[in-house]
Amino acid sequence: MIATAPDALDQYLDLYRNHRDTIDAACAAEPLNNMRHAAFAALESIPMRLPGKGDEGYAVTDLNGMFTPDYGININRLPASADVAEAFRCDVPRLSTALAITVNDTPRLTDTTARALPEGVWFGSLRRFAQDHPTRLEQFYGAIAPMKRPEVALNTLLAQDGILLWVGKGVKVDKPLQIVNLLSASTPVMAVRRLLVVMEEDSAATLLCCDHTMDCTNSYLASAVAEISLARGARLNMFDLEESSPLTSRCAGVFVDQHQDSELHLGSATLWCGTTRNDYEVSLNGPGATARLSGLAIGSASSLADVNTRVAHMSAHCTSRQLYKFALPEVSRGSFRGLVYVAPGAKGTDAEQNCRNLLADPGARMHTEPQLEIYCDDVKASHGAATGQLSAEALFYMRQRGIPEAEARNMLMQAFMADVVDTFTMDGLQDRLRHLVEKRLSGAGPEACANCSASCIPTPSA
C-alpha cells in the first residue's frame, strides 16, 4: 500500500486557528486582515490542496512537499536579527537605485529612499499604507492574484506586511527602485512576502528585485506573491534576480492586470537556487497593451528551476513576447510551461513564445510544454521550444585554438544566454548581469557579504 503524502495546508490552517488573534493584532491593518479572513474561509470551505509532482502544470515540482517541513513563521513580528547596514553588500545594489530591504519578510526602508523619489510615489511598507489609506488599498490588494490557487490563498492567510509601490497619475520615476530580499535566521524559516505595484494612468517606473540567502547553513522557504495593476498608458519594467542557496525553496507568483496601451516587461534571472517555482500570469485587458516576458536560469548540482507562464490576450490588438533560456549542467533540472491564451474577440493579437535550452552534461534534464489556446481567427501567434547540447564542433574548434575545454564550455554558454541578458534594459543592469553570469558559469559563488567570512554558496566540485 502506498502511503499518502500529508497535506501541507493542514498545519498552516491549524496555526492560524490557534493564533488568529495574535496574527491579526500584530498586523493591525484592516485590508490585510479582511483578505486574510477571506483566504481562511476559502481554504476551509473549498477543497484545496497544494499540487504535487505530476499534477497538472507541475510535471517536476512538488509544491506540497515544498511546504510540508515545519518552518518557523514570524507571527509576532519580532525584529529580524540581521544588521543590514553592516552585514549586507550585494553585487547588484552598487547600481544607482532607491533601495528597500526585506529581511525574511520584514521590510526595512530609510529616509534616504523616500527623499530620492518624486512627489506622487509611495514606496514602502504595505501594512503602513493599509493603516493610513485602507479604502485606497482595498481596491487592489487581493484583487489580482487568484484566491482559487492554494499557494496564493496560503500566502494571503499568513502575510502580515510587504512592499507597496504606488506611482501616481502621470508620474515618471527616473531613478530605478530596488527591493533586496534577504534570508537570514538561526533556524529554518518560512518568509511570507507580498508585493503590490499600482501604476496609475501614464505613469512609468523600473523595479529591480533581488533574492539573496545570507546564512546558507539553514533551510528556508520563500512564499512570495506579487500583484501588479497597470492603468491606461502605464509602463513598468520589473526585473528579478535570484541568488539563493541549495537549501532554499522558493514559490513565487507574479500576477498582472494590464489596461489599454499599457506596457510591461518582466525579466527574471535564476543564477543560483535550490528548488525554485516561478509563476507569471499576465492578463491583457485593454486594447493596445503590450507584455514582454524574458528569463534565464542556470542550474547547478541537483537544483530545480521551474517556470510557468500564462499570457491571456483578453482584448484586441495586444502584443506579447516571451523568451526563456535554461543552461543545465551536472544533474540539474529545469522546466518551462508556457500558455498563450487568445480570448474570443481578441482580434489583431500578435504573440510569440520561445524557449531554448542547453544541457551541458548527460545527467541534466529539461521539461518543456509550450501551448497555444486560441478562440479568435484574426491573430498571429507562434510558439517554439528546443533542447540541445553544447556543439561538439564548436568545442573542438575552440580547443584547437588553445582554449581549455572548461573555458570553451563557459564561453559557449555565455553566448547562448546573451540575447536574454540584452532584454534587461535597466541602466547598468546589463553589464552587471553579464558579470554575474560570467562569474556564475566560471564556477564561482556569489560574492560574499561584507564582514562575512564564508561565501553563501559553495563552489561546485569539478
Side-chain angles (χ1 to χ4, degrees):
M1 181 176 178
I2 300 176
T4 303
D7 188 343
L9 285 177
D10 289 342
Q11 63 181 329
Y12 300 108
L13 290 173
D14 288 341
L15 173 73
Y16 185 65
R17 290 187 190 102
N18 295 331
H19 300 279
R20 175 172 179 155
D21 292 342
T22 299
I23 293 173
D24 286 2
C27 178
E30 186 175 351
L32 274 63
N33 283 337
N34 287 343
M35 287 306 303
R36 186 188 327 282
H37 302 158
F40 181 65
L43 288 168
E44 274 202 318
S45 62
I46 304 172
M48 285 191 191
R49 59 177 291 274
L50 289 164
K53 182 178 179 180
D55 287 344
E56 178 68 22
Y58 291 83
V60 299
T61 302
D62 181 4
L63 211 61
N64 187 67
M66 187 187 295
F67 281 82
T68 295
D70 185 15
Y71 292 98
I73 300 177
N74 187 10
I75 62 174
N76 290 301
R77 311 314 298 157
L78 299 176
S81 59
D83 188 341
V84 174
E86 296 298 326
F88 181 76
R89 186 170 63 247
C90 156
D91 232 359
V92 176
R94 296 172 189 170
L95 299 169
S96 178
T97 59
L99 182 64
I101 294 175
T102 297
V103 181
N104 299 327
D105 53 17
T106 302
R108 294 191 181 184
L109 295 101
T110 66
D111 293 338
T112 303
T113 297
R115 288 195 296 269
L117 300 176
E119 186 177 354
V121 177
W122 172 279
F123 184 49
S125 165
L126 177 66
R127 181 177 66 88
R128 180 179 170 187
F129 189 91
Q131 293 170 337
D132 294 343
H133 310 281
T135 304
R136 293 179 68 190
L137 192 70
E138 285 173 348
Q139 180 182 351
F140 298 100
Y141 182 70
I144 302 171
M147 198 76 76
K148 64 182 180 181
R149 296 184 62 138
E151 71 275 21
V152 171
L154 178 59
N155 180 280
T156 307
L157 176 70
L158 298 176
Q160 292 170 276
D161 203 347
I163 298 289
L164 168 67
L165 170 61
W166 193 304
V167 183
K169 182 177 180 179
V171 177
K172 308 294 193 293
V173 186
D174 295 327
K175 192 178 188 68
L177 304 150
Q178 183 178 11
I179 302 170
V180 176
N181 295 312
L182 305 179
L183 288 170
S184 178
S186 57
T187 59
V189 162
M190 174 179 172
V192 185
R193 294 168 174 165
R194 197 80 179 208
L195 171 65
L196 176 61
V197 178
V198 179
M199 305 290 296
E200 295 187 15
E201 286 188 17
D202 299 317
S203 62
T206 295
L207 177 63
L208 171 64
C209 301
C210 302
D211 278 19
H212 185 79
T213 305
M214 293 179 67
D215 178 357
C216 301
T217 61
N218 286 318
S219 298
Y220 298 97
L221 171 61
S223 166
V225 170
E227 296 181 287
I228 300 173
S229 173
L230 301 183
R232 179 174 180 170
R235 293 183 288 111
L236 175 68
N237 294 324
M238 180 173 166
F239 305 109
D240 175 42
L241 274 60
E242 180 185 4
E243 289 187 315
S244 57
S245 74
L247 297 179
T248 299
S249 297
R250 166 172 137 147
C251 173
V254 179
F255 304 91
V256 186
D257 174 24
Q258 286 190 243
H259 294 273
Q260 182 175 351
D261 297 326
S262 62
E263 298 179 15
L264 169 74
H265 182 190
L266 284 177
S268 64
T270 301
L271 299 170
W272 289 94
C273 72
T275 299
T276 288
R277 165 77 181 203
N278 291 328
D279 287 273
Y280 302 99
E281 293 198 4
V282 178
S283 186
L284 303 170
N285 294 317
T290 301
R292 182 179 188 183
L293 283 68
S294 60
L296 63 87
I298 304 174
S300 62
S302 59
S303 66
L304 168 60
D306 184 357
V307 173
N308 184 86
T309 70
R310 185 181 190 275
V311 177
H313 288 253
M314 307 302 294
S315 189
H317 304 293
C318 294
T319 302
S320 68
R321 297 288 184 268
Q322 298 184 58
L323 175 63
Y324 286 89
K325 289 192 173 184
F326 292 71
L328 304 175
E330 303 178 54
V331 292
S332 58
R333 294 163 295 158
S335 177
F336 174 80
R337 184 175 188 264
L339 170 65
V340 174
Y341 174 87
V342 182
K347 62 182 181 179
T349 287
D350 184 357
E352 292 181 8
Q353 179 193 93
N354 283 287
C355 178
R356 300 289 183 264
N357 313 296
L358 190 60
L359 304 183
D361 290 299
R365 296 289 182 269
M366 182 69 199
H367 173 85
T368 56
E369 195 176 339
Q371 303 172 81
L372 296 176
E373 190 173 338
I374 301 173
Y375 299 95
C376 183
D377 292 333
D378 182 18
V379 303
K380 182 171 70 173
S382 64
H383 65 85
T387 300
Q389 298 177 334
L390 288 172
S391 169
E393 291 183 0
L395 280 173
F396 177 78
Y397 178 87
M398 297 171 76
R399 294 189 67 188
Q400 286 292 99
R401 280 147 183 81
I403 302 174
E405 181 176 357
E407 184 178 346
R409 288 164 58 92
N410 291 340
M411 291 173 65
L412 289 174
M413 285 193 282
Q414 289 178 48
F416 174 71
M417 293 290 187
D419 55 347
V420 178
V421 174
D422 288 343
T423 67
F424 285 65
T425 53
M426 175 179 155
D427 289 344
L429 182 57
Q430 283 185 3
D431 290 340
R432 180 56 59 189
L433 185 54
R434 288 190 187 97
H435 164 71
L436 293 173
V437 170
E438 179 181 0
K439 186 176 67 173
R440 170 67 185 82
L441 292 173
S442 71
E447 292 181 5
C449 301
N451 303 326
C452 177
S453 61
S455 178
C456 284
I457 302 175
T459 301
S461 57

